[in-house]
């Protein structure tokens, strides 16, 4: 017996789990002074994601960090693609989730409305502790 089949990527390999991280929500979940330097806080989260990945998951993942507002302009690094939302970060996360239908997706956020929107598109959701603890 085999497990569920994963969609194939362009190379014909199984597509890894897509992890979309709500940068503003995750950074804002800890009162560590992030509001003094939003871009720096987003860069620290990006670097943590790049070095630690998703601690609870052993399988390969593709991580996308969505930033907005004062955190726009954070660069991507190996292991983490950064998307600067032109408007609402939540709307960009919903777009990314919709664009990747048929693929395993996990959205990391504590935002209830965003959770509702992405689960309607078939994504799993997890809270900020998934990437912070």
């Amino acid at each position: 017996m085999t497990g569920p089949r994963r969609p194939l990527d362009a190379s014909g390999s199984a597509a890894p789990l897509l992890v979309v991280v709500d940068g503003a929500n995750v950074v804002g979940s800890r009162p560590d002074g992030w509001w003094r330097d939003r871009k720096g806080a987003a860069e620290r989260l990006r670097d943590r994601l790049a070095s630690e990945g998703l601690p609870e998951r052993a399988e390969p993942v593709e991580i996308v960090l969505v930033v907005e507002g004062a955190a726009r302009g954070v660069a991507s690094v190996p292991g983490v693609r950064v998307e600067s939302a032109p408007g609402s970060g939540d709307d960009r996360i919903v777009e990314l989730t919709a664009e990747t239908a048929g693929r395993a997706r996990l959205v990391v956020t504590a935002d209830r409305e965003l959770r509702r929107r992405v689960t309607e598109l078939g994504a799993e959701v997890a809270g900020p502790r998934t990437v912070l603890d």
Side-chain angles (χ1 to χ4, degrees):
M1 184 184 250
T2 61
R5 298 185 107 195
R6 305 223 355 225
L8 302 181
D9 64 16
S11 70
S13 300
L17 172 69
L18 176 64
V19 180
V20 182
V21 179
D22 181 351
N25 187 268
V26 171
V27 165
S29 70
R30 293 217 169 136
D32 62 1
W34 59 265
W35 51 89
R36 290 189 292 270
D37 180 11
R38 293 171 193 252
K39 188 173 182 182
E43 289 170 337
R44 287 187 296 279
L45 174 59
R46 176 208 56 202
D47 294 346
R48 181 178 188 152
L49 292 166
S51 68
E52 297 177 18
L54 201 60
E56 298 292 319
R57 306 258 180 165
E59 76 269 11
V61 296
E62 176 185 349
I63 300 174
V64 178
L65 173 63
V66 177
V67 296
E68 63 187 4
R72 283 189 194 105
V74 170
S76 296
V77 296
V80 179
R81 184 175 93 227
V82 180
E83 292 261 343
S84 291
S88 161
D90 290 1
D91 289 346
R92 182 64 188 131
I93 290 167
V94 171
E95 289 170 1
L96 285 167
T97 303
E99 290 168 3
T100 54
R103 181 173 176 187
R105 296 151 297 162
L106 174 67
V107 175
V108 180
T109 185
D111 182 304
R112 287 184 184 153
E113 176 61 15
L114 178 56
R115 283 174 167 245
R116 183 194 63 76
R117 292 171 69 189
V118 298
T119 56
E120 287 179 353
L121 296 169
E124 294 178 63
V125 294
R129 288 184 179 162
T130 305
V131 296
L132 292 178
D133 285 341

